[in-house]
Amino acid sequence: ELKTSTLIKSILSLGITLLYYGLMPQLAEGIYWYVGVVNYHFASLALITMLVLLLASLQSKSRLKLRVLQGAIILLMVLSVGFNEIAAVIIPSALFFLFITGYLATRRLNPFLLLCLVVACLSAAAVFFSPGNFFRLNVASHSMSLWQSIYFSFLQSIRFFFRFAFNLPVLLASLFVFMAGGEAKRKVGLPVVYFVGSLFLLFVAALLPYLAMGQLGQHRTYNYVLLIFLLCWFLFILSLRQSHYFPFLANFQFTSGRKIAFGCMMAGSILSFGNLPAICRDIHNGKLTHYRNDFACREYQLLKSPSAVYPLEHTSACLLITDAKGDTAFFADKCMTRYY
């Protein structure tokens, strides 16, 4: 609850959106691949919407409005859990943590939170015990043991933690939140909760792919947890600011001029780091044009001779997901031959 206008809040929302797209580990799968958009990008949007409605329900004074919000929350919870396996672990785990901590704090059961937990667990069970999931597990011949998966997931968690948290745009945004945190009226909780939660997100995003497929894949699971990680990280910074006294900030005034200066620096860092400058470089170097021409030429050849599958000569990292290898045993080559 910062003392900010609607315009400033909109600018902050736009900033975190650009930050999300700029840091997305696999941009092509995140916004250009239909399956990736539906299973991971839409999953993030559904989860964020559910959290917004949950906060609105806590502030609702109308009984009718409260029931409508609760119904929408239950529906979005089923959808959010059902998008992918990562969500099917993260959401019930978070609800279980909230339910236990709420009970320990008040010694009273929260009926609606208990209902959400039950619905989330049932939805997660429907995901994990679906026939398609068992089929995929049987097909994956390189799946790892539990201890191997935990070990590699731990390493990936460290890798992506530094990748997401310690880059120029996030560091500047963290400094902005830290400086502006003194204006927040409501306490957001303990720093350790958000710090451990952010690490848990990164760990689960790697654990399930390693268990099922024996590899991390193309980072689509980290596309999903990135937005939630950023929110947890900024809440960690804010809670750190609120829970400790910093003498050097005793007389600090975060004036409008300083906020504007910070905003300009963050905007410049977002535009010069990650996916956004990579897109500009591909446009400037003509990679997107060459990629489009090569793709059209290959499609024309495949329509005449479906078995003549060959890899593209020019590709763009911003658009490419998986390409053929010219190997008849490779799955992409098989699929393209069957399709054409």
Side-chain angles (χ1 to χ4, degrees):
E1 294 183 352
L2 295 177
K3 299 175 183 178
T4 50
S5 65
T6 302
L7 176 61
I8 297 299
K9 291 178 181 178
S10 300
I11 293 174
L12 293 174
S13 298
L14 178 60
I16 197 170
T17 302
L18 290 176
L19 194 61
Y20 167 62
Y21 284 123
L23 295 177
M24 190 178 286
Q26 206 352 309
L27 183 66
E29 288 193 4
I31 59 178
Y32 297 129
W33 184 41
Y34 176 77
V35 178
V37 170
V38 171
N39 284 347
Y40 299 97
H41 187 64
F42 283 3
S44 295
L45 298 180
L47 179 57
I48 294 299
T49 305
M50 184 186 73
L51 292 176
V52 170
L53 294 181
L54 184 60
L55 292 174
S57 69
L58 296 176
Q59 300 174 356
S60 176
K61 298 180 180 179
S62 169
R63 187 177 183 85
L64 176 61
K65 182 181 178 180
L66 177 62
R67 293 292 179 256
V68 172
L69 287 172
Q70 289 177 341
I73 291 168
I74 293 296
L75 176 61
L76 280 171
M77 185 169 300
V78 174
L79 293 174
S80 300
V81 171
F83 276 113
N84 57 72
E85 290 86 349
I86 311 301
V89 171
I90 290 173
I91 296 175
S93 300
L95 288 171
F96 179 74
F97 174 78
L98 291 174
F99 180 75
I100 294 298
T101 52
Y103 175 75
L104 293 177
T106 63
R107 294 297 175 180
R108 294 177 58 186
L109 294 176
N110 187 318
F112 180 68
L113 197 57
L114 179 60
L115 175 62
C116 290
L117 178 60
V118 171
V119 171
C121 290
L122 291 176
S123 302
V127 172
F128 285 110
F129 294 105
S130 62
N133 207 33
F134 282 107
F135 177 78
R136 185 178 62 176
L137 290 175
N138 292 330
V139 170
S141 57
H142 303 291
S143 57
M144 290 186 175
S145 66
L146 176 61
W147 294 114
Q148 280 182 308
S149 301
I150 291 175
Y151 172 70
F152 282 103
S153 300
F154 175 75
L155 295 179
Q156 294 289 1
S157 301
I158 297 175
R159 170 196 173 193
F160 278 94
F161 175 78
F162 282 96
R163 178 174 176 175
F164 289 160
F166 292 90
N167 57 76
L168 183 58
V170 173
L171 287 175
L172 287 174
S174 301
L175 186 58
F176 179 88
V177 172
F178 185 79
M179 294 299 184
E183 300 179 22
K185 297 178 181 179
R186 180 177 297 179
K187 301 294 182 181
V188 296
L190 298 174
V192 65
V193 173
Y194 298 109
F195 185 77
V196 173
S198 62
L199 292 178
F200 177 73
L201 290 170
L202 301 178
F203 181 78
V204 172
L207 179 64
L208 296 185
Y210 275 125
L211 281 174
M213 308 297 292
Q215 60 181 348
L216 185 58
Q218 293 171 292
H219 300 169
R220 63 179 71 99
T221 55
Y222 278 99
N223 282 352
Y224 170 66
V225 301
L226 172 59
L227 184 59
I228 314 167
F229 172 85
L230 290 174
L231 294 176
C232 283
W233 177 253
F234 292 139
L235 285 170
F236 162 71
I237 298 297
L238 179 59
S239 61
L240 194 67
R241 173 73 169 86
Q242 293 178 338
S243 58
H244 295 79
Y245 175 71
F246 298 92
F248 62 92
L249 293 176
N251 299 318
F252 177 79
Q253 296 292 327
F254 202 30
T255 61
S256 298
R258 289 173 176 174
K259 290 179 182 178
I260 293 173
F262 254 96
C264 293
M265 287 191 294
M266 284 189 290
S269 65
I270 291 173
L271 295 175
S272 60
F273 181 88
N275 293 320
L276 301 181
I279 294 174
C280 295
R281 285 194 299 268
D282 283 355
I283 295 174
H284 177 73
N285 297 331
K287 282 189 175 182
L288 297 181
T289 302
H290 292 311
Y291 176 80
R292 180 187 60 191
N293 294 339
D294 285 4
F295 194 94
C297 182
R298 183 176 68 178
E299 186 170 51
Y300 176 76
Q301 295 293 333
L302 288 174
L303 289 172
K304 294 196 302 183
S305 177
S307 60
V309 179
Y310 60 90
L312 297 173
E313 181 180 356
H314 301 93
T315 59
S316 169
C318 302
L319 293 176
L320 185 66
I321 299 172
T322 299
D323 192 28
K325 293 183 176 181
D327 180 5
T328 55
F330 187 56
F331 81 96
D333 295 63
K334 291 181 179 179
C335 292
M336 290 176 68
T337 301
R338 290 182 63 184
Y339 177 80
Y340 285 102

